Amino acid sequence: MDQQIQYCTTLDGVRLAYAVTGEGTPFVRVSPWMSHLEHEQQSPVRRNFIVVLAQHHKLVRYDPRGNGLSQRDVTEISFERWVSDLETVVDAAGIERFALFGASQGAGIAIQYAVRHPERVTHLIINGGFARGNLFRDDPEKEAKLLELSRALVREGWGGSQETYRQWFTSQFIPGATAEEFHWFNELQRVSATPEMAERYLVEAAKINVAEILPKVTTPTLVVHSMGDVRVPFALGQEIAAHIPGAKLVPLDSINHMLLPSDPAGRVFYQELASFLGDPPLKGALPGTQTFRQRLEKTVKGVEQNWLVKVIVILAAITGCFIFGLEVWRLLFRH
């Protein structure tokens, strides 16, 4: 699916890249921690989100400052800058009213924007989000230690060719993924930002705290959260839904922080989202994913290309020829 990548400039002079895909009522995705507009266009993990939303909406996505196709060399990284960057992007895209989607750390940004600009947000969707960063949760000392571990892993292996260090984060985001999906997410980390920038994002995300303004949200809100989420515990999604007036909470039977196309909970998410936005219900295969026939053909092709399978087939053929020859010899010998 084609996307138009454009650029805008923030109040402090930072160049941001944003993409517009599809037509219809506007839908804005707050940029996640790791983002690369071109890389995720071919993603086995994120592509289906783009395809599904672009069917009925003008989907606006952007790379945050310091990441992806946006300006990499930036001085200030802060929650306030993230909110003002969102303001810059929606103004540059020329949209007045839109549905706003925030996942993980993007939830806090989306909530803050919805409180500041209630007249512009028609629907608020929170997926796997939190109102309180690591340093404001129940056990700050334990969370601080986990943050230091994450920072060390980023410094050691984020930008390297080996995927070992990055796999630690991947296993938290998509523990139910396939090998292909694991590799793609490991690569996303490498191409999205430098180790220095990724570490700065971790630190700032840990400082997010929008818990006090949750009751001020007046926008119709849908909160979706995986019950087995390791990265952001389900209780943090419950907290958001409990304190936003009238918010609907949809628990998902999944262990994935980022929903996968192959995860049955992913279809539940899109069905709930379509109902919430007033879109037509989903029918058939999930858009942007492979059909059963395509998955079968891919599996067969993989088997055909596997060298061990080829060796077994060759040995089986040789064995078959030998047995056939032996039977012929026995028949001849009897006569």
Side-chain angles (χ1 to χ4, degrees):
M1 180 170 287
D2 294 334
Q3 62 179 0
Q4 302 173 16
I5 296 179
Q6 303 175 54
Y7 289 88
C8 57
T9 304
T10 66
L11 295 175
D12 61 334
V14 175
R15 184 180 65 255
L16 298 178
Y18 68 95
V20 178
T21 313
E23 297 180 354
T25 55
F27 186 102
V28 178
R29 185 196 71 178
V30 176
S31 182
W33 173 29
M34 291 166 275
S35 176
H36 192 292
L37 295 175
E38 288 185 337
H39 188 68
E40 70 177 7
Q41 182 80 343
Q42 306 301 322
S43 158
V45 178
R46 286 184 176 169
R47 175 175 166 76
N48 71 304
F49 178 88
I50 300 171
V51 175
V52 172
L53 268 301
Q55 280 191 321
H56 305 289
H57 300 276
K58 177 181 180 180
L59 175 62
V60 178
R61 299 153 34 243
Y62 64 97
D63 285 337
R65 56 176 57 212
N67 281 252
L69 300 178
S70 290
Q71 186 173 328
R72 294 291 186 105
D73 54 330
V74 296
T75 302
E76 185 179 352
I77 298 292
S78 67
F79 179 73
E80 281 302 316
R81 283 300 183 193
W82 289 337
V83 177
S84 65
D85 289 350
L86 171 58
E87 293 171 334
T88 298
V89 169
V90 295
D91 287 344
I95 51 179
E96 291 298 324
R97 287 175 56 77
F98 50 89
L100 184 59
F101 176 89
S104 200
Q105 76 174 53
I109 301 169
I111 290 166
Q112 183 67 265
Y113 184 94
V115 170
R116 291 184 183 177
H117 307 281
E119 75 286 353
R120 301 191 68 174
V121 184
T122 61
H123 303 75
L124 179 63
I125 305 99
I126 304 298
N127 178 24
F130 57 87
R132 294 178 293 119
N134 300 72
L135 300 182
F136 293 95
R137 295 175 188 171
D138 294 336
D139 192 344
E141 184 176 348
K142 177 183 177 181
E143 294 290 345
K145 290 179 180 179
L146 289 174
L147 177 61
E148 287 305 313
L149 172 60
S150 298
R151 295 178 65 180
L153 289 169
V154 168
R155 288 194 296 268
E156 290 297 323
W158 190 273
S161 58
Q162 295 296 322
E163 298 186 12
T164 308
Y165 291 95
R166 300 194 296 277
Q167 182 63 36
W168 188 79
F169 293 101
T170 301
S171 297
Q172 290 189 328
F173 277 83
I174 48 174
T178 64
E180 179 187 9
E181 291 165 339
F182 275 148
H183 174 68
W184 177 86
F185 201 79
N186 288 335
E187 276 298 290
L188 172 63
Q189 294 172 55
R190 186 181 65 82
V191 303
S192 64
T194 63
E196 294 77 15
M197 188 59 65
E199 184 180 0
R200 291 174 67 186
Y201 263 70
L202 273 175
V203 173
E204 291 305 317
K207 300 176 184 177
I208 292 176
N209 190 357
V210 295
E212 291 186 356
I213 67 170
L214 292 176
K216 298 180 181 179
V217 176
T218 58
T219 304
T221 303
L222 175 67
V223 180
V224 184
H225 210 114
S226 296
M227 291 183 287
D229 194 332
V230 176
R231 183 71 187 176
V232 179
F234 179 63
L236 296 175
Q238 288 179 303
E239 177 185 35
I240 293 176
H243 291 90
I244 292 180
K248 178 182 179 182
L249 173 64
V250 178
L252 297 176
D253 185 13
S254 176
I255 60 174
N256 295 305
H257 176 60
M258 180 184 296
L259 294 173
L260 299 168
S262 57
D263 191 335
R267 186 172 188 85
V268 175
F269 163 71
Y270 287 115
Q271 288 173 332
E272 290 287 345
L273 183 59
S275 176
F276 183 62
L277 296 174
D279 295 340
L282 294 175
K283 295 181 179 179
L286 193 65
T289 61
Q290 295 178 325
T291 64
F292 174 79
R293 180 177 178 180
Q294 289 173 323
R295 292 196 299 271
L296 180 61
E297 291 176 348
K298 183 177 181 180
T299 301
V300 171
K301 184 177 180 181
V303 170
E304 291 175 344
Q305 294 177 343
N306 188 297
W307 67 269
L308 181 59
V309 173
K310 290 180 180 179
V311 170
I312 292 173
V313 171
I314 292 172
L315 290 176
I318 294 173
T319 302
C321 290
F322 175 77
I323 294 173
F324 175 76
L326 184 61
E327 290 297 322
V328 171
W329 182 81
R330 286 176 177 174
L331 289 172
L332 293 174
F333 182 76
R334 287 175 184 174
H335 289 288

